[in-house]
Amino acid sequence: MLRLGSQALRRFSTGRVYFRNKLKLALIGQSLFGQEVYSHLRKEGHRVVGVFTVPDKDGKADPLALAAEKDGTPVFKFSRWRVKGKTIKEVMEAYRSVGAELNVLPFCTQFIPMDVIDSPKHGSIIYHPSILPRHRGASAINWTLIMGDKKAGFSVFWADDGLDTGPILLQRSCDVEPNDTVDALYNRFLFPEGIKAMVEAVQLIADGKAPCIPQPEEGATYEGIQKKENAKISWDQPAEVLHNWIRGHDKVPGAWTEINGQMVTFYGSSLLNSSVPSGEPLEIAGAKEPGLVTKSGLVLFGNDGKALMVRSLQFEDGKMIPASQYFSAGETPVVELTAEETKVAETIKVIWAGILSNVPVIEDSTDFFKSGANSMDVVRLVEEIRQKCGGLQLQNEDVYMATRFEDFIQKVVRKLRGEDQEEELVVDYVLKEVNDMTIRMPSQCFINGQFVDADDGKTYDTINPADGSTICKVSYASLVDVDKAVAAAKDAFEHGEWGRMNARERGRLMYRLADLLEENQEELATIEALDSGAVYTLALKTHIGMSVQTLRYFAGWCDKIQGSTIPINQARPNRNLTFTKKEPLGVCAIIIPWNYPLMMLAWKSAACLAAGNTLVLKPAQVTPLTALKFAELSVKAGFPKGVINIIPGSGGVAGQHLSEHPDIRKLGFTGSTAIGKQIMKSCAVSNLKKVSLELGGKSPLIIFNDCELDKAVRMGMGAVFFNKGENCIAAGRLFVEESIHDEFVTRVVEEIKKMKIGDPLDRSTDHGPQNHKAHLEKLLQYCDTGVKEGATLVYGGRQVQRPGFFMEPTVFTDVEDHMYLAKEESFGPIMVISKFQNGDIDGVLQRANNTEYGLASGVFTRDINKAMYVSEKLEAGTVFINTYNKTDVAAPFGGIKQSGFGKDLGEEALNEYLKTKTVTLEY
C-alpha cells in the first residue's frame, strides 16, 4: 500500500554508498528541491554546518529552513547579501562563522557575492535545469520547451563570476515527450534526478574526483526571464510552435490571448493527432481560424492546418475552468415525436392523469412525485404502460430518473426507438491458459463504459515477476485519455442516472459487483498472482477476499449516510430549523499502488462510490490487470457509463495530470511520502482538491520478554514477511528485549529455513517474487547498505538464483538507531532487529517513536497493563497487541505524521468522500 512502482511521480533513492570522505557544507538556496538535497546530503553523512535561505514570507518559513531548523542546523535568513555592489559585513561574518568547506546551491534566487562563492576550500557548485551552455538564464526549463528541444536535462557546475558560465562538473539528460509541460518535465526528471546528481557531485568533490570541464561557447544561448507581458500568443505559426509556446509557459507565467476583449490564459496543451472533434466555434483575436469548444477541450489551429488542444482556461479574475465549459452546457436535444409516438404519449398522459387525480391538467412541467405520487404509484405506472402501450417494458428506475412528464415521454420514446439500450461491452481480451483455467484479461483503457486504446495508440509491457516474461501489452494512457475519463465521470455525476439514483439502488449495484468478484475470485486471484507475484492462496484470501468484503460493507452504508439536526438560538418571534446534509463531492481521482492491486482499489473506490461520487482510477503501472478486470465486472453489475473509469499508465503523466485537473474534487492516494507531498502540492495549486494520503511507514514492533514467544515468533515473521514484505504496515523494525533476543533470532532463522520460495501459483509456496525488477534491485542495495554500516546479516540478503525477481527472506541484527536500516523503510522481506535493555519500557518507546512515520505499530506481552501503556504511548494510526496484520473492513485505517492523513475502511472512510452542507430555514 505504499509504493507506486516504476511510474512514480518522484523517486528519491540516491543509491546509498558510504565513503570515508565527508565535507562540511553550506547550503545556499530555498524550495522543496533545496530541502530534499539538504536531507539527502545529511543522510549520506555530510555535515551541513549552515543553511542560508530567504526570509519568511507571510509568516511562513521556506521548506529548506523548516527542515534545517527541525534538525538544529544553523539557519540564516538574509533578504540580501550585498548593498551597492559590496557584500554586507554582518552577512559575510555570519557566513564565515560556519566554516564551510563547500557551498552547495541547489536552487537560489538571490545574488550571491563572489567573495562568498570563492570563500570555501572547494568553492561552490550550482544546479541549473538545462544542458549548458544551452539555455543559460532563469527560465531555462521554459525555453527548453518553447524552442522545441528534443532533449532536456540539467547541469551541476562550478560557480564563477559569469551567468551560468562556470565549468561543468556533471550533466544528465532525458527525452522531451511531445506533451511535456514544465511541471511534467520537472517532476519526471529534473527534480528526482537532480537530487541524486547534487549528492553525487558533492561526493565526487569529497573524494577528489570531481571533473572541471570548461563550457564551450559553441551552442551557447541566453534567454531572458519570461513574464506575463511577453507571453502573449502569436497565432500565425504552425500548430507545434503554438503548442510549444503554450506548454513552455505552463504554469508560470502562462501563455495568453484575447477572447471577447479579455485576457484568457491557456493551460494543458497537447498536439491533436487524431481527427478534429466537433464543437462550437470560438473567435480568438489574431487567430485566422476560430477555435472549437469540444467535450474534451478547446481545439486551436496553426497556420499549417494542424491542431492542438488545451484543457483549461484562466480568466483575468483568476477563475479557472475546463476549456470544454467555455460555453454553458446545453440541454439534451429534444426528440421530435412521430405520429405513432404521439399516440403513445397521449395514452401515457391519460395514465398519469388517472394516477395524479389531484392535478387538473398534466403539463410538460408536471413532476410525478411533487404532484403526490409514491412508490406504489410507480409500480402502477409501469404496469399500466406495459398493458396499454403494446407491452412496452419500463423499469421502476426509469420513472425515478425522469420525473417530469416531458422528460419521461422523451425517455419512453428513446426506449421505443432502441436508443436507451446499453451497448454490448466489447472487450479485446488477452487469453492465457494458466492455473488449470483460461483467464480473460482486458488490457485497454476503460473510459465511459468502453474499453478503448490510448488516444495516441501507445502501449507498454506488463511483466510476470515470477519469470520476467511479458504477460501482455497494456494501453498507456495519455493526457487526452485522462481528460476523456474525467469528462465522462463529470457527465455521469452531473447529468447521468448515477447522480439521480437513490441510495439503495446504488447499494444494490455495489452488492452485485461484490457478488461478481466472488464468482470470479479464482480468475482474479490468478491474474493477481501473474501480475503482482502474490502467492495464489494469499491472493485468493486477502487480495480478492477482502475486496469482496469491502464492497459489501460499503454497499450497506449507501442508505445510511445521514446529516443531523442542530438546535440554534432563536431570534424571537421567529423560529428556525438548522440541519446538515452529507453530499458527494463529484469526480474523485484514485491512485493506487502495486502491492495489493485489487484490494487497494476496493478500499478506496468502495467508499467513494457508496458516497455517490464518480471516479477515475489509475492503477500502478506495473500491476494494471485486475483493475481492468474489475472495470469489466462493473459493467456486468449494471454500473452506468462514466461512473467508473480506469486509466493504466505512468504516474508522471496520468497521475500528475489527475492531481492537477480542475474538474476533480478529491484525490485519494496510496504511495510514498515524497510523492504524496508533491501530489498534495499539485492538488492545492490547481483547485484545492480534498486529499487523503496513505504514505510511507517504518512500523515498530516491540517484543517483551514476558510474551508468548512461540506466538511472537510466528506473528513477528508475518509482520515482516507477509505478502513478500510488500505490505504498508509491515514491521519495519523489531525491538526485542535483551533476555530473549538471541532465542528469538534463532527461532526466526529456523522458521525461515522451512519457507518454500517459488512459483506463486504453486499451492505449497510460502514466498513469491518481489513485484518488479527495480524493486528487487533496491532491496539488494538496502541490504548492502546495512552490511556496510555494520549491522549483522544473520540470514539472506541475496537474490534467489532462479528466473524471476525472487529474494531470500532476510534478517539483520545489531541494528543501531543511527543506521539507515533503522530509519528507512525497505518494503520487502527484510527483518530489522534491535535489542533493548531488560525492563526499559520508556527507553524502547522513545526509540520506537523516533521516526517521521506513524502508520502502524505492535507490542507482544502477557502484561495487559504494560500493553495498554505502550499502546497509549506509541505514535501510530494503528496499534496491534499480541497480533499483527489484523485489519478489518469496519476498522478505520490510516497513518499520522508523514505516513499521511485520512482514513480508509470503516465509517470514517465515507467522510473522505463527502461534504457537509448546513441548511437553516426560518418559519
Side-chain angles (χ1 to χ4, degrees), residues 782-797:
Y782 186 93
C783 292
D784 288 344
T785 299
V787 172
K788 288 174 181 176
E789 284 191 313
T792 300
L793 177 60
V794 177
Y795 191 88

Side-chain angles (χ1 to χ4, degrees), residues 33 109 200 239 269 583:
F33 183 74
T109 58
E200 180 184 347
S269 174
E583 297 180 344

Side-chain angles (χ1 to χ4, degrees), residues 160 218 237 349 385 391 399 475 495 522 636-637 654 880 894:
D160 65 3
E218 183 180 351
Q237 300 183 87
K349 182 177 279 190
I385 289 174
V399 185
S475 291
H495 306 297
E522 289 85 4
K636 293 181 179 180
F880 298 108

Side-chain angles (χ1 to χ4, degrees), residues 130-160:
S130 80
I131 307 172
L132 292 172
R134 187 163 173 80
H135 302 311
R136 293 168 177 165
S139 294
I141 313 176
N142 304 77
W143 283 103
T144 297
L145 297 176
I146 292 169
M147 300 302 292
D149 291 1
K150 301 304 181 185
K151 289 280 186 181
F154 58 81
S155 307
V156 179
F157 68 95
W158 299 93
D160 65 3

Side-chain angles (χ1 to χ4, degrees), residues 227-356:
K227 298 180 180 179
K228 196 71 176 182
E229 55 265 29
N230 56 18
K232 186 176 181 179
I233 300 168
S234 176
W235 289 104
D236 191 18
Q237 300 183 87
E240 186 173 358
V241 175
L242 295 175
H243 166 63
N244 288 336
W245 183 263
I246 294 169
R247 67 177 178 143
H249 291 84
D250 185 347
K251 297 284 193 232
V252 177
W256 62 276
T257 190
E258 288 185 15
I259 301 177
N260 292 328
Q262 70 166 315
M263 178 190 291
V264 179
T265 304
F266 292 166
Y267 297 106
S269 174
S270 58
L271 289 170
L272 192 63
N273 296 316
S274 56
S275 59
V276 176
S278 59
E280 189 170 352
L282 176 63
E283 293 295 333
I284 299 173
K288 293 183 178 180
E289 189 172 348
L292 283 178
V293 177
T294 73
K295 288 183 178 180
S296 300
L298 174 61
V299 176
L300 306 168
F301 298 93
N303 62 10
D304 57 353
K306 295 182 179 179
L308 61 144
M309 181 181 288
V310 295
R311 71 174 186 270
S312 301
L313 306 176
Q314 187 174 36
F315 299 101
E316 292 178 2
D317 61 1
K319 180 182 178 182
M320 182 178 285
I321 64 166
S324 59
Q325 294 181 7
Y326 184 85
F327 299 117
S328 300
E331 296 292 327
T332 303
V334 176
V335 176
E336 294 292 334
L337 275 57
T338 65
E340 192 64 32
E341 290 164 350
T342 301
K343 290 181 181 179
V344 173
E346 290 299 327
T347 302
I348 293 174
K349 182 177 279 190
V350 173
I351 297 171
W352 273 54
I355 296 172
L356 304 176

